[in-house]
Amino acid sequence: MTVVDTLHTQLAPVRRALGEDAERRATELLDEARSRADATVAKAQAESDQVVARARARAVATAQAQREQARAAARREVHRETLTAESAVQREIVAAVVAAAEEMAGDPRYPRLLDGLEARARDQLGPDAVVVRDPGSRPGVVATAGGRRVDYRLAALARRALEAQGDLLARVLEPAP
């Protein structure tokens, strides 16, 4: 047996022990690496779950905000359409009342009405008031004195009568309870 063979034989238990130690250490390192990898994956999964949860919450909040904006826009549109319709109805009512008032010019009592309107204008403006009957072919009276003027045309009287009713038109146009 040669020195190398002898050394080889004598070192065999050391080599085996080193091999076993290396294998054990490799297993430990591998287990430790797997444990760290599992922890990293678990942490990444938890962070991912949090990101997804926050994204869902933002999406729900955004959707809710968009729904609220759409509802508000719809309410504004309904309100605008309601106001437009009410305004149209009010214009129609005013036009009908004015037309009905102007039809009084065809009544046989109309000359007496003009006399009464002229007298009222002179009471307000004085006896020197300039009174014009049926100005511009509009039934009624317009009178001026100095810088003052009164308009007793039937259309103007009808409009003022409607205005004097305050919110009568608004109450008429209110939806029934």
Side-chain angles (χ1 to χ4, degrees), residues 44-151:
Q45 184 63 49
E47 289 174 3
S48 172
D49 291 346
Q50 289 175 352
V51 168
V52 168
R54 285 192 302 267
R56 275 193 188 118
R58 279 193 305 270
V60 167
T62 299
Q64 182 65 27
Q66 289 171 344
R67 279 193 300 274
E68 289 303 319
Q69 288 173 345
R71 284 185 192 126
R75 283 191 301 272
R76 285 190 303 273
E77 180 64 19
V78 166
H79 184 67
R80 185 189 64 74
E81 288 176 5
T82 300
L83 291 177
T84 299
E86 286 176 358
S87 180
V89 169
Q90 285 178 338
R91 284 191 305 274
E92 288 175 19
I93 290 170
V94 169
V97 169
V98 165
E102 288 183 334
E103 286 177 9
M104 293 172 63
D107 189 288
R109 298 171 288 180
Y110 180 64
R112 266 195 343 247
L113 176 63
L114 280 179
D115 291 341
L117 292 174
E118 184 174 338
R120 178 144 171 89
R122 288 192 191 284
D123 285 345
Q124 279 189 293
L125 300 177
D128 295 332
V130 175
V131 178
V132 179
R133 288 180 172 220
D134 296 334
S137 299
R138 299 302 296 229
V141 170
V142 173
T144 57
R148 300 180 333 170
R149 178 179 188 268
V150 292
D151 184 353

Side-chain angles (χ1 to χ4, degrees), residues 3 20 44 51 77 81 156 163 165 167:
V3 174
E20 289 171 1
V51 168
E77 180 64 19
E81 288 176 5
E163 289 171 9
Q165 293 299 312
D167 63 346

